[in-house]
Amino acid sequence: MSLRKRISLRNTLSFRLTLWYAGIFALSSCVAFLLFYALITSFMREQTDQDLLAQVNRFSTLLVSEEIEAVKSAAIIEAQAAGVKKVFFRFLSLNGQVFSSSNMAYWKNIDVHETAIKQLLRDRSHVFETITIPQRKEKVRILYAVLGPTIILQVGQAMESYSRFLDAFKGIFISTMTFLIVVAAGIGWFMARRAVSGVEAVTRTAQKISGGTLEERVPVKTNGDEIDQLAVTFNQMLDRIQTLLTEIKEMSDNMAHDLRSPITRIRGIAEVTLTTGKSLSEYEAMAASTIEECDRLLDMINTMLMISKAEAGVDHLTREEIDFAGVVQEACRLFEPTAEDKGIALSCHLPDESRFLGDTRMIQRMLSNLLDNAIKYTPPGGSVSVSVSENHGQVVLSVEDTGVGISPRDLPHIFERFYRGDESRSQTGIGLGLSLARAIARGHGGDITTTSNPNQGSTFTITLPKSLPSHS
Ligand code: ADP
């Protein structure tokens, strides 16, 4: 394995999780071992101390009924019976002088500790100590106890079996732990691999997508766990990106198409005038047509810019108090002559006052797009009715006409940029009016909806919150 690969393995989540599993396992096992060890040690010491105290009690009872000589002999016999390498007895005077003992050949290195004698004589009935015989690495538990008014008994017991048990315990623990830590690391690695396999699937899909295949999706299992949720969210994000890209592509196709028509016309008029035109009036007509086409182009570009601005959200809108009823009344007044010319009855039903925070210029543009459409798509003799009301802290604008209506086929698409219904081909327009109206409504935190029946008319309803949503 190359150095780079090794480094990257060490950086993987699986590796780190495995280390954590194994580390936590090892740490908790060590804590458990130490607790056990301490418990066993104290239990065994307690046991030894009980044995030593029992010996002392036996000899002091004996001393009550027998002479000291009999007690000394009993001690020698007791040491031989237990094993001279296991137990020893020493009889001391109160100043620590040894006046009798069991066989001490094995215990030559063990002295009488002055401090222990002092402690014993001060206030204690017995004193324990543990000493290690350096050459043998063996521990001995020693008890000093007052046996009679002038006699101190020193009893020692080898803790050899106790040390052997603890050494065996340590050995078994270390080998078991080593085995279990290896197993825990293996299980940890397996579990970590399983946990991150979902993330790897997302990564692989992301890599394929960056390679150009936006149709790829992450396979979703049915566990419903966090990884599944990640996969579902990732797929939803991809769906959204794909839809947006399709929309952008369609929009740029439509835009290219809509830009080409006026430019082709401008070029055609200029070419015809140059090749055939002789008089000044013909050149004037060409200039007028060019201005007209340029205005159309500028209108389209400005509308696109306005849509982008409205879609960029609330941060890009002006916040000012708008007298909405007044703005709608003004718009109705402006469109009155056009409606009248076409023989359409335009009526406005407005409350005395309806105010909210928003961008006046944008709101005016939205209104004029809706009114323009209503009059444009309503044949002479029809009517257009505009009304404003308030509902649950929202301002509701409704523009209702008795016009040609929108076919169910067109209805889902009318808010798309450059989309124009089949019925509207005979009318002027570039297919951006409703896109802008919706962008403005949404930019103000509201929305626009439509209901329509072909040949009966359409109703556009806009709801706007009374205050702009807060900056995010
Ligand atoms: P246009 O420039 O074509 O009017 P819009 O974006 O304003 O573009 O409208 C998109 C399409 O929605 C129109 O082409 C038309 O088919 C339909 N439409 C909009 N308003 C009305 C209406 N009031 N009545 C019938 N159809 C409408």
Side-chain angles (χ1 to χ4, degrees):
M1 199 185 281
S2 73
L3 181 65
R4 231 182 114 197
K5 271 194 179 159
R6 249 186 292 150
I7 290 169
S8 62
L9 174 71
R10 274 173 45 195
N11 285 340
T12 58
L13 191 59
S14 311
F15 184 75
R16 274 183 273 162
L17 278 175
T18 308
L19 268 193
W20 273 103
Y21 284 136
I24 290 171
F25 184 78
L27 191 74
S28 42
S29 307
C30 283
V31 170
F33 167 75
L34 288 177
L35 282 176
F36 259 122
Y37 194 83
L39 204 72
I40 292 172
T41 311
S42 93
F43 175 76
M44 291 187 86
R45 199 188 307 116
E46 189 80 8
Q47 240 1 70
T48 312
D49 292 355
Q50 296 296 333
D51 287 352
L52 293 174
L53 280 172
Q55 301 272 24
V56 170
N57 284 340
R58 229 151 17 91
F59 288 126
S60 39
T61 317
L62 193 62
L63 193 61
V64 173
S65 55
E66 304 278 347
E67 288 297 312
I68 181 69
E69 290 308 319
V71 179
K72 283 193 234 166
S73 314
I76 292 166
I77 295 166
E78 176 72 36
Q80 267 168 355
V84 287
K85 289 186 177 179
K86 285 200 175 141
V87 181
F88 72 87
F89 299 94
R90 261 181 185 158
F91 293 90
L92 316 170
S93 59
L94 292 186
N95 60 7
Q97 286 299 314
V98 179
F99 62 86
S100 176
S101 69
S102 61
N103 185 348
M104 294 299 285
Y106 188 73
W107 308 102
K108 269 183 240 136
N109 299 328
I110 293 180
D111 300 323
V112 172
H113 284 158
E114 221 174 291
T115 43
I117 300 286
K118 275 187 190 151
Q119 263 185 20
L120 184 69
L121 294 179
R122 209 180 307 131
D123 51 1
R124 306 268 190 88
S125 62
H126 56 260
V127 170
F128 281 107
E129 65 179 18
T130 305
I131 60 165
T132 309
I133 303 171
Q135 296 83 1
R136 291 191 225 143
K137 284 189 182 169
E138 186 187 341
K139 284 188 174 160
V140 184
R141 187 75 170 156
I142 292 177
L143 168 65
Y144 295 86
V146 177
L147 203 63
T150 57
I151 306 164
I152 294 171
L153 178 63
Q154 185 196 31
V155 195
Q157 186 170 322
M159 294 168 87
E160 189 200 349
S161 58
Y162 160 71
S163 309
R164 269 211 311 272
F165 176 79
L166 285 181
D167 284 349
F169 178 69
K170 261 190 266 178
I172 291 171
F173 175 82
I174 289 170
S175 46
T176 313
M177 270 309 102
T178 314
F179 172 72
L180 285 181
I181 286 172
V182 171
V183 172
I187 293 174
W189 176 258
F190 173 73
M191 282 166 64
R193 293 296 310 151
R194 270 192 67 158
V196 299
S197 67
V199 179
E200 283 176 352
V202 177
T203 311
R204 273 196 301 276
T205 311
Q207 276 165 352
K208 279 186 196 158
I209 289 165
S210 65
T213 47
L214 198 58
E215 289 73 28
E216 277 298 327
R217 291 293 177 271
V218 184
V220 180
K221 298 182 197 116
T222 47
N223 305 346
D225 56 17
E226 289 87 344
I227 300 290
D228 261 5
Q229 282 173 15
L230 171 70
V232 169
T233 314
F234 188 74
N235 287 346
Q236 282 171 347
M237 186 189 77
L238 288 178
D239 290 345
R240 176 98 184 97
I241 291 174
Q242 204 173 10
T243 313
L244 281 176
L245 284 181
T246 314
E247 276 176 21
I248 290 171
K249 191 181 171 308
E250 276 172 12
M251 194 187 77
S252 48
D253 286 354
N254 289 337
M255 204 166 138
H257 181 265
D258 278 57
L259 283 174
R260 200 175 56 179
S261 309
I263 292 171
T264 314
R265 277 198 297 275
I266 292 170
R267 194 186 178 286
I269 296 165
E271 195 174 357
V272 170
T273 315
L274 271 181
T275 48
T276 63
K278 303 279 180 282
S279 64
L280 181 64
S281 62
E282 279 171 303
Y283 280 100
E284 280 174 352
M286 180 197 82
S289 306
T290 306
I291 288 170
E292 206 178 297
E293 293 296 351
C294 285
D295 282 350
R296 248 174 79 82
L297 281 173
L298 276 175
D299 186 35
M300 188 193 300
I301 290 163
N302 285 335
T303 311
M304 288 292 294
L305 289 173
M306 220 166 170
I307 292 175
S308 299
K309 191 178 164 193
E311 279 182 346
V314 67
D315 292 351
H316 297 80
L317 299 177
T318 316
R319 281 163 183 265
E320 55 202 349
E321 195 177 66
I322 303 175
D323 168 16
F324 191 54
V327 174
V328 176
Q329 190 160 37
E330 177 67 14
C332 287
R333 208 178 48 74
L334 278 174
F335 277 89
E336 197 107 313
T338 323
E340 211 174 287
D341 284 354
K342 209 176 161 187
I344 292 170
L346 175 62
S347 59
C348 268
H349 310 277
L350 307 170
D352 290 341
E353 202 188 62
S354 180
R355 293 180 176 277
F356 71 93
L357 281 182
D359 188 318
T360 314
R361 214 168 68 84
M362 290 269 188
I363 294 290
Q364 281 169 337
R365 185 68 195 265
M366 181 183 80
L367 282 171
S368 70
N369 283 357
L370 291 181
L371 284 172
D372 184 49
N373 276 352
I375 295 169
K376 197 163 67 176
Y377 297 115
T378 301
S383 65
V384 173
S385 165
V386 182
S387 67
V388 173
S389 59
E390 283 193 14
N391 188 14
H392 295 105
Q394 290 192 314
V395 178
V396 183
L397 165 81
S398 157
V399 179
E400 194 178 344
D401 65 56
T402 58
V404 294
I406 304 163
S407 72
R409 199 164 54 86
D410 290 333
L411 203 58
H413 303 289
I414 54 172
F415 293 105
E416 290 169 14
R417 281 173 226 200
F418 297 105
Y419 189 87
R420 305 204 68 208
D422 281 342
E423 302 296 317
S424 61
R425 299 283 169 209
S426 54
Q427 301 288 345
T428 55
I430 52 175
L432 286 177
L434 287 182
S435 312
L436 179 58
R438 184 169 72 171
I440 293 172
R442 289 188 175 172
H444 281 76
D447 209 352
I448 180 167
T449 53
T450 326
T451 52
S452 184
N453 289 315
N455 300 319
Q456 287 181 27
S458 317
T459 304
F460 287 83
T461 309
I462 286 184
T463 45
L464 297 166
K466 292 200 78 172
S467 59
L468 276 173
S470 55
H471 297 258
S472 54

